[in-house]
Amino acid sequence: MTFAQAVRNYEARCAECGVPEETVMAFLVEIARMERCNLYLHYDEEMPESISEAFSAGMERILNQEPMAHVLGYSWFYGYPFTVNGDVLIPRPETEELCAKVLAAIDRIFPEGEVHCVDVGTGSGAIAVTLACEEPRVVMDATDISEPALETAKINAANNHANVTFYAGDMIKPLIPLGKKYDVLICNPPYIPQDEDMERSVVDFEPHVALFGGEDGLRFYRSVFADCRSVLKEKSFMAFEMGWNQREALSRLVQESLPEAEYEIRKDMNGKDRMLFVYFNCPGAAERG
């Protein structure tokens, strides 16, 4: 079977199973270890047996709704490879946008010197590792309540040569007794309401502790808002990912919990409300967003 025949065959089967057809080429590029443009040059050639076997076995799992990242064992995020498994959430493109905006805010608000940051609920370590790799001035800590998730995050930090210190515990709580103080707190908490319908590929294969945020999806924001001043410096900011439909609820929560703070809700590339930034003693930060 040629590359082209294999792709057409599985694209047709994806359409029948409700799997995006573009998954086929994306998976083949990773399995074949070839750039897409080079793959097209060999498109009408017979697929080597080693590639054919791995491609077919993996696609059968994907057709059964298993995430491609789990089949591969890794996912790309901000140009870095991250080990993923059933213990951690697969990093999403929206979170890449959060990282980019955090890096821009660091440059704007803290243009010089070390910047002490913490990623709360780090999961795979995608945010913590990316910020540590992208900004040499960042001194990065990270927390997670899941020991298996922390083990995965440590692997990702080592594989990407990122200097991150990890702490086990519930959100901010393990940091408070240590007396640590941060310039920046980043958090991509579980924010899906408990009773919301989800795709099978998410519910069956990704950890529920990293997905669901209580009855209204805001449980973990409340936790961070309640404890954040214990670990933040006077001049500091927080950055969160959020659900696209949580603008009003989160705005009320910030105003009630942190009335002294400035805040803004930022849109992603699709024009959806997906990021919350909260500023303490950072004059004009929100307006220059």
Side-chain angles (χ1 to χ4, degrees):
M1 186 177 293
T2 66
F3 285 99
Q5 289 169 332
V7 168
R8 284 195 293 268
N9 174 46
Y10 277 109
E11 282 179 343
R13 292 185 62 190
C14 281
E16 296 170 0
C17 296
V19 175
E21 291 181 30
E22 56 268 25
T23 304
V24 179
M25 276 300 292
F27 184 62
L28 182 55
V29 164
E30 296 295 334
I31 289 294
R33 294 289 195 271
M34 297 169 68
E35 295 290 341
R36 190 172 294 233
C37 58
N38 291 331
L39 184 57
Y40 281 125
L41 293 176
H42 301 277
Y43 213 41
D44 293 318
E45 298 177 8
E46 186 174 341
M47 188 182 288
E49 185 176 351
S50 60
I51 294 176
S52 177
E53 290 177 357
F55 178 65
S56 296
M59 282 305 308
E60 293 301 323
R61 292 168 63 185
I62 291 169
L63 289 169
N64 196 37
Q65 305 298 319
E66 187 171 351
M68 184 177 77
H70 284 188
V71 176
L72 292 169
Y74 65 89
S75 179
W76 290 96
F77 182 86
Y78 222 90
Y80 301 99
F82 283 86
T83 294
V84 293
N85 49 46
D87 297 319
V88 299
L89 198 66
I90 299 167
R92 265 56 171 186
E94 295 87 351
T95 312
E96 291 182 314
E97 291 190 67
L98 177 65
C99 286
K101 286 180 167 50
V102 168
L103 288 165
I106 287 173
D107 285 344
R108 189 172 71 247
I109 297 170
F110 303 108
E112 297 179 353
E114 288 186 344
V115 183
H116 291 256
C117 303
V118 61
D119 177 25
V120 176
T122 194
S124 68
I127 292 174
V129 169
T130 296
L131 296 182
C133 288
E134 290 290 311
E135 177 50 77
R137 296 188 297 118
V138 160
V139 178
M140 177 61 69
D141 291 349
T143 74
D144 206 284
I145 197 170
S146 165
E147 291 282 2
L150 282 177
E151 289 306 309
T152 301
K154 289 174 183 177
I155 290 169
N156 286 323
N159 288 346
N160 288 292
H161 310 290
N163 188 8
V164 181
T165 302
F166 294 96
Y167 297 93
D170 186 10
M171 305 303 279
I172 293 174
K173 287 179 171 51
L175 305 171
I176 296 173
L178 303 177
K180 303 199 55 105
K181 295 290 183 179
Y182 298 96
D183 301 294
V184 183
L185 184 155
I186 312 101
C187 183
N188 179 13
Y191 53 74
I192 298 169
Q194 197 67 46
D195 58 355
E196 186 167 313
D197 290 333
M198 300 289 294
E199 295 177 3
R200 184 186 151 204
S201 61
V202 176
V203 174
D204 288 359
F205 294 98
E206 300 200 66
H208 288 197
V209 68
L211 290 168
F212 297 104
E215 187 174 343
D216 60 359
L218 302 182
R219 173 188 167 191
F220 296 101
Y221 298 96
R222 292 189 183 95
S223 174
V224 174
F225 292 174
D227 294 336
C228 65
R229 297 317 299 267
S230 300
V231 299
L232 288 173
K233 297 179 184 179
E234 284 299 311
K235 180 181 180 180
S236 55
F237 74 88
M238 300 191 294
F240 302 84
E241 190 169 316
M242 57 180 275
W244 63 270
N245 58 351
Q246 293 176 325
R247 169 184 277 272
E248 291 186 9
L250 271 177
S251 295
R252 284 195 302 270
L253 190 58
V254 175
Q255 292 166 11
E256 293 168 1
S257 305
L258 303 166
E260 75 279 20
E262 286 187 273
Y263 75 95
E264 63 177 335
I265 290 174
R266 309 283 292 273
K267 296 184 183 297
D268 65 10
M269 65 177 65
N270 297 313
K272 293 184 177 180
D273 297 324
R274 292 308 303 269
M275 289 156 276
L276 168 68
F277 279 70
V278 180
Y279 305 97
F280 300 101
N281 298 306
C282 301
E287 285 74 18
R288 283 182 271 165

